[in-house]
Amino acid sequence: MAIQTIQEKQEEIVSEFEMFDDWMAKYEYLIDLGKDLPLIQEELKTDERLIEGCQSRVWLNAAFTNGKMQFSADSEAIITKGIIGLLIRVLNDENPETILKTDLKFISDIGLQEHLSPTRANGLNGMIKKIKMEALKYIQH
Amino acid sequence: MTEIIKKPFNVREIREEFPALRQEIYGKSLIYFDNGATSQKPQIVLNAINKFYSKENANIHRGVHFMSQKATTEFEEARKKIQHFINARKAEEVIFTKGTTDGINLVASSYGELLTAGDEILITAMEHHSNIVPWQLLCQRKGLILRVAPINFKGELIVEEFDILLSKKTKLLAITHISNTLGTINPVKELTQKAHAVGAKVLLDGAQSIQHMKIDVKDLDCDFYVFSSHKLFGPTGIGVLYGKEDLLDRMPPYQGGGDMISRVTFEHTSYNELPFKFEAGTPHIAGGICLGTSVGFLNSIDLDGAQKHEGELTKYAEHLLDTFEGLQIIGEAKNKTSVISFTVDGIHPFDIGTLLDKQGIAVRTGHHCTQPLMDFYKIPGTTRASFAFYNTKEEIDLFVEAVEKSINMLK
């Protein structure tokens, strides 16, 4: 299989979500995705990897090998895990420069923009910021 | 006063008064169960807001012109309506604030000035952050000691422990009348008597009680009672601090500015009398007037019937939720109001709240600004359904069905 670009990955997610005609079906799918999230190892759930949301805590680990970044994460809330799963699917195995300049527009395209609002406070905003901060560390000067 | 015979409470008729309840969310009829956070507004309040800004908008207390005088009269009439609604002795004892939080901060800043190092303030383990943090700040500023009376697992104050913590050193008991998270109704009249017996003053946080029961500040004998308009079917941004006149008179002003002074020179300023001493600057005029409208609306309905209806809703919902495996109701006080907080084994409240939202049901999830209480129960948060008199049994049936569906999806 040819390697997908970030853009193609986002488009693929959008077309997957287009198959669902109601909100509950979309969320059912998100919950399933949450169950498949590449989980962060328990011993890596440290304060440095913790993103405090108001409602559910999120942990993120970033690794850098062969010029590409790999992420694993966990959250107390399964819907949040599902959304993180989508984020990781889009950003995993990409180089830091690409991650930094990517506009993650699939989130609003599939109708999940409410999870990005600061009032939602589920850690997703902090999560994206954290991913980009991690990417910044590995930028090749 | 002559008792007006009111039409018996009828939930169908009441609902007609609240336009916000007639809308669809994600294609489903809205079920609004977040009344603990804020209540919806009746048409008569919406009309009053519109009327004020369309025709009556003017600044108050100083204008010589017609509109200013009319607005002043209406604002002061609203104060009187609120005075009678809570049975205060005088309108001067009704101070307009921004809301409950503002009222508590006012008391902490101003009454706090009368306290000295070593004095104690007593609160309970079920307080909202608004009735914790202002006291912590005051304690830091003045070297006071904050004491916390514990609760049992049902969510009731442990009165024996309270009695031990209450002492001659206690200068203020600041306690919630009804817990926003648990629904517990505290025996505030009895606690007030005990506090007075040791010489302490009493502040009641009425944010969750004003809309659920008849409040009589004379009968309760509290020194301060604070509440927000927006939880009482009125506008946001306005609330009330009731205080006993002699105490308010002894307290220094809270904020300085226009309206709160009687004479200003660069050397010396003398302050206005009550209630204006505590109302610096242009107040939320429309808010005050329309809170008066809301109080008028409540005076016109059978509140005993409404309260009985809320009680039935709560019992009905608790009875249905009790059958769910793994679901725990947090807050099972013998004396409680229309709040149901719950957790479900292995499921985060955020997930349930999100799925309920997608089914058109508005609930609150999280710690409800009571983190110490969450720590006590060792939970990250709860899902909270809080009912108002305009909610129905049919809505509870749909809610319980939606909770079941959500749990099945999340398991």
Side-chain angles (χ1 to χ4, degrees), chain A residues 24 55 77-79 114 120, chain B residues 26 348 351 354 358-359 365:
Chain A
M24 290 307 269
Q55 301 219 357
I78 187 118
I79 292 171
E114 68 188 56
R120 199 77 189 189
Chain B
Y26 303 113
H348 197 276
D351 289 324
T354 302
K358 294 295 173 289
Q359 297 171 84
T365 64

Side-chain angles (χ1 to χ4, degrees), chain B residues 253-309:
Chain B
Y254 172 44
Q255 291 178 327
D259 240 17
M260 56 76 73
I261 49 86
S262 74
R263 172 93 181 108
V264 177
T265 66
F266 286 116
E267 291 73 36
H268 179 74
T269 292
S270 54
Y271 306 119
N272 204 340
E273 51 197 27
L274 290 175
F276 311 114
K277 180 171 96 174
F278 290 109
E279 295 179 358
T282 297
H284 183 0
I285 305 167
I289 292 173
C290 298
L291 169 58
T293 309
S294 175
V295 164
F297 168 76
L298 291 168
N299 284 335
S300 75
I301 67 174
D302 164 20
L303 282 179
D304 291 337
Q307 203 185 322
K308 192 164 157 265
H309 171 69

Side-chain angles (χ1 to χ4, degrees), chain B residues 266-384:
Chain B
F266 286 116
E267 291 73 36
H268 179 74
T269 292
S270 54
Y271 306 119
N272 204 340
E273 51 197 27
L274 290 175
F276 311 114
K277 180 171 96 174
F278 290 109
E279 295 179 358
T282 297
H284 183 0
I285 305 167
I289 292 173
C290 298
L291 169 58
T293 309
S294 175
V295 164
F297 168 76
L298 291 168
N299 284 335
S300 75
I301 67 174
D302 164 20
L303 282 179
D304 291 337
Q307 203 185 322
K308 192 164 157 265
H309 171 69
E310 287 179 353
E312 285 165 6
L313 291 179
T314 312
K315 284 223 160 55
Y316 182 63
E318 282 185 339
H319 174 72
L320 292 176
L321 289 174
D322 247 355
T323 60
F324 284 52
E325 215 186 292
L327 186 149
Q328 286 89 33
I329 291 175
I330 306 293
E332 297 177 294
K334 202 156 63 175
N335 205 4
K336 72 173 275 189
T337 184
S338 51
V339 170
I340 302 179
S341 260
F342 63 92
T343 58
V344 183
D345 289 347
I347 299 179
H348 197 276
F350 172 81
D351 289 324
I352 293 191
T354 302
L355 294 184
L356 289 177
D357 172 50
K358 294 295 173 289
Q359 297 171 84
I361 300 169
V363 293
R364 178 87 181 260
T365 64
H367 53 64
H368 317 295
C369 296
T370 52
Q371 282 174 346
L373 193 55
M374 299 296 105
D375 294 342
F376 171 73
Y377 283 103
K378 298 188 172 61
I379 50 178
T382 74
T383 303
R384 181 189 73 178

Side-chain angles (χ1 to χ4, degrees), chain A residues 25-76:
Chain A
K26 274 190 197 181
Y27 274 84
E28 196 136 35
Y29 183 54
L30 268 181
I31 291 164
D32 284 342
L33 291 173
K35 290 173 184 162
D36 295 339
L37 177 73
L39 281 186
I40 183 171
Q41 288 163 285
E42 278 302 315
E43 62 269 26
L44 293 179
K45 284 188 177 176
T46 58
D47 281 353
E48 301 81 66
R49 294 183 180 86
L50 174 68
I51 302 154
E52 282 281 0
C54 185
Q55 301 219 357
S56 73
R57 292 183 296 171
V58 172
W59 293 266
L60 174 83
N61 186 52
F64 184 67
T65 40
N66 301 328
K68 310 273 186 192
M69 300 210 56
Q70 292 82 33
F71 301 98
S72 59
D74 199 0
S75 166
E76 295 167 323

Side-chain angles (χ1 to χ4, degrees), chain B residues 21 30-35 37-40 360-362 386-388 390-391 395:
Chain B
L21 300 176
L30 167 69
I31 295 178
Y32 187 77
F33 282 175
D34 195 18
N35 295 286
T38 194
S39 58
Q40 298 304 335
I361 300 169
S386 50
F387 314 123
Y390 47 57
N391 291 125
E395 286 181 315

Side-chain angles (χ1 to χ4, degrees), chain B residues 55-345:
Chain B
K55 297 202 159 169
E56 297 164 354
N57 175 50
N59 211 331
I60 55 172
H61 295 151
R62 34 189 171 250
V64 292
H65 61 84
F66 177 83
M67 280 170 72
S68 173
Q69 288 181 6
K70 188 163 187 293
T72 303
T73 307
E74 291 215 20
F75 191 71
E76 293 309 319
E77 281 302 316
R79 196 189 304 273
K80 282 183 204 153
K81 276 190 208 166
I82 296 158
Q83 174 209 341
H84 295 303
F85 188 64
I86 61 172
N87 199 28
R89 285 163 199 85
K90 293 181 171 180
E92 288 78 2
E93 294 177 322
V94 175
I95 314 286
F96 281 118
T97 63
K98 288 188 284 185
T100 304
T101 301
D102 191 37
I104 296 173
N105 277 282
L106 189 162
V107 174
S109 284
S110 174
Y111 175 72
E113 277 304 304
L114 307 179
L115 305 181
T116 48
D119 286 347
E120 295 184 3
I121 292 168
L122 180 58
I123 62 172
T124 77
M126 67 175 93
E127 301 306 322
H128 188 281
H129 294 164
S130 294
N131 200 28
I132 301 173
V133 185
W135 308 120
Q136 287 176 329
L137 291 169
L138 175 65
C139 287
Q140 282 164 18
R141 245 181 1 250
K142 304 275 294 184
L144 315 181
I145 298 154
L146 188 65
R147 303 267 182 215
V148 184
I151 60 171
N152 63 27
F153 218 67
K154 284 162 99 180
E156 296 162 326
L157 183 72
I158 305 171
V159 177
E160 297 75 25
E161 301 272 347
F162 172 91
D163 290 346
I164 295 167
L165 289 168
L166 185 72
S167 76
K168 286 240 164 358
K169 288 186 194 158
T170 313
K171 295 298 174 228
L172 181 75
L173 165 64
I175 182 172
T176 190
H177 193 174
I178 294 180
S179 157
N180 69 310
T181 303
L182 307 169
T184 308
I185 304 173
N186 281 312
V188 291
K189 191 175 169 182
E190 176 195 328
L191 300 176
T192 299
Q193 282 170 1
K194 287 182 178 178
H196 284 166
V198 299
K201 302 297 180 196
V202 177
L203 176 140
L204 298 184
D205 172 354
Q208 299 293 335
S209 61
I210 188 81
Q211 67 277 46
H212 292 299
M213 57 174 67
K214 174 75 196 138
I215 296 299
D216 182 335
V217 291
K218 259 196 279 190
D219 180 56
L220 290 170
D221 199 28
C222 54
D223 300 279
F224 303 106
Y225 181 90
V226 287
F227 67 91
S228 300
S229 151
H230 71 93
K231 293 192 209 275
L232 191 66
F233 316 102
T236 52
I238 185 101
V240 166
L241 160 67
Y242 155 80
K244 283 182 183 167
E245 188 185 24
D246 57 333
L247 189 54
L248 291 174
D249 267 336
R250 276 170 35 219
M251 286 159 50
Y254 172 44
Q255 291 178 327
D259 240 17
M260 56 76 73
I261 49 86
S262 74
R263 172 93 181 108
V264 177
T265 66
F266 286 116
E267 291 73 36
H268 179 74
T269 292
S270 54
Y271 306 119
N272 204 340
E273 51 197 27
L274 290 175
F276 311 114
K277 180 171 96 174
F278 290 109
E279 295 179 358
T282 297
H284 183 0
I285 305 167
I289 292 173
C290 298
L291 169 58
T293 309
S294 175
V295 164
F297 168 76
L298 291 168
N299 284 335
S300 75
I301 67 174
D302 164 20
L303 282 179
D304 291 337
Q307 203 185 322
K308 192 164 157 265
H309 171 69
E310 287 179 353
E312 285 165 6
L313 291 179
T314 312
K315 284 223 160 55
Y316 182 63
E318 282 185 339
H319 174 72
L320 292 176
L321 289 174
D322 247 355
T323 60
F324 284 52
E325 215 186 292
L327 186 149
Q328 286 89 33
I329 291 175
I330 306 293
E332 297 177 294
K334 202 156 63 175
N335 205 4
K336 72 173 275 189
T337 184
S338 51
V339 170
I340 302 179
S341 260
F342 63 92
T343 58
V344 183
D345 289 347

